[in-house]
Amino acid sequence: MTDPTGAFLERIDAFTGRLERWMLIVLLVAMIVLGMLQIISRFVIRSPIMWSEALLMYMFVWSSFIGASLAVRESAHFEVEIFVVRLPFVLQKVLAIGVYVTIFLFSVFLIDKGIFLVKLNQRQLMALLPFTMSWPYLILPLSGTLMAIHSLRHIGRLSSRQCAERGN
């Protein structure tokens, strides 16, 4: 019998993983196109697109945070295993759960402070773009939410494996 909460979390995690991949594809393609347009306009036409550098910077920040969230999903973040592999198997699993609990707590921090920054910058306009500064900060609660979903899925998987290994 499968856990309905675990199955729901797996579906949400799979959906958010696909969403993150598509967001990264769109952002990276847009960054390449905009970067090429900036080069052509600056060196060929000699009339640079004034706002492109700022937009490229914000797109880079967004892609970094989305990539970090996807890395949590794929367990692709840097880790030092030299000491962990020497621990007993049970302690390795407890440590892994502790890592994902820490990631979850950091995600909650990102969501909380991100919402604060989005609200704080609702009236401040960007220098060269017709948007408020809330848009660049919106990635903080968004990526925090995605990281929280992925870390909860990892915690659920590791916990259910521990219960199965103990015979519970």
Side-chain angles (χ1 to χ4, degrees), residues 1 25 40 45 82 98 102 105 113 130 138:
M1 185 172 178
I25 289 168
I40 292 168
I45 302 171
I82 192 165
T102 304
L105 294 174
K113 297 304 176 190
L138 188 61

Side-chain angles (χ1 to χ4, degrees), residues 4-5 7 19 21 33 37 42 48 54-55 60-62 66 69 77 89-90 96 102 109 117-118 129 133 143 159 163:
T5 306
L19 179 67
R21 282 187 181 86
V33 169
L37 286 173
R42 181 174 296 224
L55 186 58
F60 179 75
V61 170
W62 270 64
I66 294 169
S69 174
H77 279 110
F89 185 73
V90 173
T102 304
F109 176 80
L117 288 170
V118 168
L129 296 168
M133 285 300 293
S143 66
S159 297
C163 289

Side-chain angles (χ1 to χ4, degrees), residues 30-85:
M31 287 171 65
I32 290 168
V33 169
L34 188 58
M36 291 303 296
L37 286 173
Q38 173 65 3
I39 291 169
I40 292 168
S41 71
R42 181 174 296 224
F43 295 109
V44 176
I45 302 171
R46 300 205 188 279
S47 177
I49 305 169
M50 301 304 267
W51 49 266
S52 65
E53 189 175 336
L55 186 58
L56 280 167
M57 179 183 61
Y58 294 133
M59 291 167 78
F60 179 75
V61 170
W62 270 64
S63 62
S64 298
F65 275 92
I66 294 169
S69 174
L70 194 57
V72 170
R73 182 180 193 276
E74 305 293 331
S75 298
H77 279 110
F78 179 81
E79 59 184 318
V80 180
E81 296 178 335
I82 192 165
F83 300 113
V84 177
V85 294

Side-chain angles (χ1 to χ4, degrees), residues 82-150:
I82 192 165
F83 300 113
V84 177
V85 294
R86 298 176 193 267
L87 294 173
F89 185 73
V90 173
L91 284 178
Q92 289 180 21
K93 293 299 174 188
V94 169
L95 188 59
I97 290 172
V99 166
Y100 285 109
V101 166
T102 304
I103 291 172
F104 177 78
L105 294 174
F106 175 71
S107 303
V108 171
F109 176 80
L110 271 180
I111 293 166
D112 180 51
K113 297 304 176 190
I115 290 171
F116 172 76
L117 288 170
V118 168
K119 288 178 180 178
L120 183 68
N121 290 290
Q122 281 180 335
R123 298 193 194 283
Q124 182 183 355
L125 293 175
M126 292 182 187
L128 297 172
L129 296 168
F131 303 108
T132 66
M133 285 300 293
S134 289
W135 288 101
Y137 288 108
L138 188 61
I139 192 58
L140 296 173
L142 177 64
S143 66
T145 302
L146 296 170
M147 285 184 208
I149 291 168
H150 300 320

